[in-house]
Amino acid sequence: MSFRLGRRMSVTAALAVASGIALTVGGIQTMNVGSSQSDGGDGERTEGITAAYAKARNMSVDEAETRLNRQEKLVKTDKKLKRSLKPEWSGGTWIDQKSGKLVVGVTDERHEDDVEGDGTETRLIKYSAEDLEKAKRSVDKLAERFSPRGATWYVDVRANAVTVKVAKSTLDKGKTRQFVDAARALGPVVKVRTTEKPVSSNVGITNGKKIESTNGTSCSAGWWVKDKSGADLIMTAGHCTDGGHSLWRYNGLHFGGTTNTSYEPMDWGTIHVDDIAAPRPTTGVDMAEGDHAKISGLGKAPVGTEICKSGYRSGQTCGPILAHDITVTYTDGTVLEGMSSANLVSDSGDSGGSVYQMDPEREDTHVIAQGLLSGSTEGTDEDDTMYYQPIESALLDGDLIFVKSMD
């Protein structure tokens, strides 16, 4: 597993970012973190957006539409179910792409009747959510003790375990092997997996349109946010803005400067958009095939949900969420916590890009922000894993306001 930090991507290929289109007065709404995800209502189907998703997933338009419609219903069901599931007897929920059902793990058959909803099924599991969280806290403590390199660990609801992944080439770096041995000693609730590719923190600089800072960094813009004073900010990856104040340009035009950076244990940063800047932030989402979508809000979709990202190097790619609340350690010792991952392709050139989900309420006209692209395993094949900073936790950390479309 080679984790590439510093995925970079152009503004024009990025999602709902500083695209150079003038801001439409009155065409926005601001949204605090605790607000609802969507305005609701049924949007008129836009065939081009479904086609873009179909192309990204290498399937027919009809198959893509069927999958997204099914996912829409399952995401709604998941939201309702989580109000009644108890951590002492449930082990999490996830969408199974093969069966097309929302799976709910339960520790006892007596609780199967507590799970009600169309398209759901229960599976008997050994460990409850409480058991898994306790095991993860134990792994966290081991990480504080041994400071492993090139490792990730998280509650894996599908495996009903805490999964620890580490590259074979980093086992002998520092005390990584001691960490792995101690994690295995916690018992079967922890599953340790070794991978072939090493973890790397190399920053990839790509050609093409991008935002560039005066300190030599080039990255993509992410989501449009505001601070409490109402100032316009562009949110991007924290490792892009890390390193102190710098000015930023798009197509050679100055548009702002770094205002804040959170890099370790999170990965987000903000760039102030000057009042006289040429590129202005918008709430339009550039999709593949020249189509566009609006932004209805932000959220955190369940494991198994199909999400997408748009990148300069690898374009628009989509795939299912693999896990939430992941801890990632780089070979240089950097530790990121509370990350999420998805099984989709990304490459050097995509860093800071917007990660989104089709809005279950308005599937073909709107999207829901999920996060900011942080990095991925090395390679651009179907086994690639992308890691991203969840948008909700970043906004809370920065006391920022998300900007969504008016309708």
Side-chain angles (χ1 to χ4, degrees), residues 6 27 32 74-75 177 263 286 297 314 330 336 361 364 395:
N32 289 309
L74 296 180
V75 170
R177 191 177 293 276
Y263 184 46
D286 293 330
S314 55
Y330 296 150
L336 299 180
E361 299 286 345
D364 263 350
L395 292 170

Side-chain angles (χ1 to χ4, degrees), residues 264-306:
E264 194 178 25
M266 305 181 92
D267 191 7
W268 66 268
T270 54
I271 302 169
H272 181 266
V273 181
D274 292 347
D275 293 338
I276 60 173
R280 301 298 300 172
T282 74
T283 57
V285 177
D286 293 330
M287 309 288 286
E289 308 297 330
D291 231 310
H292 301 277
K294 295 181 179 180
I295 307 167
S296 56
L298 59 110
K300 186 175 181 179
V303 169
T305 302
E306 293 269 345

Side-chain angles (χ1 to χ4, degrees), residues 3-7 136 140 143 148-154 199-201 237-240 242 261-269 324-340 351 372-376 386-390 393 397:
F3 188 91
R4 285 195 303 268
L5 169 66
R7 302 311 179 89
K136 185 178 183 297
D140 290 339
R149 303 296 178 91
T152 64
W153 58 97
Y154 53 92
V199 176
S200 172
S201 60
H239 63 262
C240 297
D242 191 38
T261 296
S262 178
Y263 184 46
E264 194 178 25
M266 305 181 92
D267 191 7
W268 66 268
H324 293 302
D325 195 22
I326 302 171
T327 302
V328 182
T329 64
Y330 296 150
T331 52
D332 63 1
T334 299
V335 181
L336 299 180
E337 300 174 356
M339 302 293 283
S340 295
S351 191
L372 301 155
L373 195 152
S374 179
S376 77
M386 178 198 71
Y387 294 86
Y388 63 97
Q389 167 66 55
S393 55
D397 191 47

Side-chain angles (χ1 to χ4, degrees), residues 91-109:
T93 62
W94 66 97
I95 295 175
D96 189 324
Q97 292 295 336
K98 291 184 178 180
S99 68
K101 293 185 177 182
L102 178 69
V103 182
V104 183
V106 295
T107 57
D108 194 297
E109 292 179 346

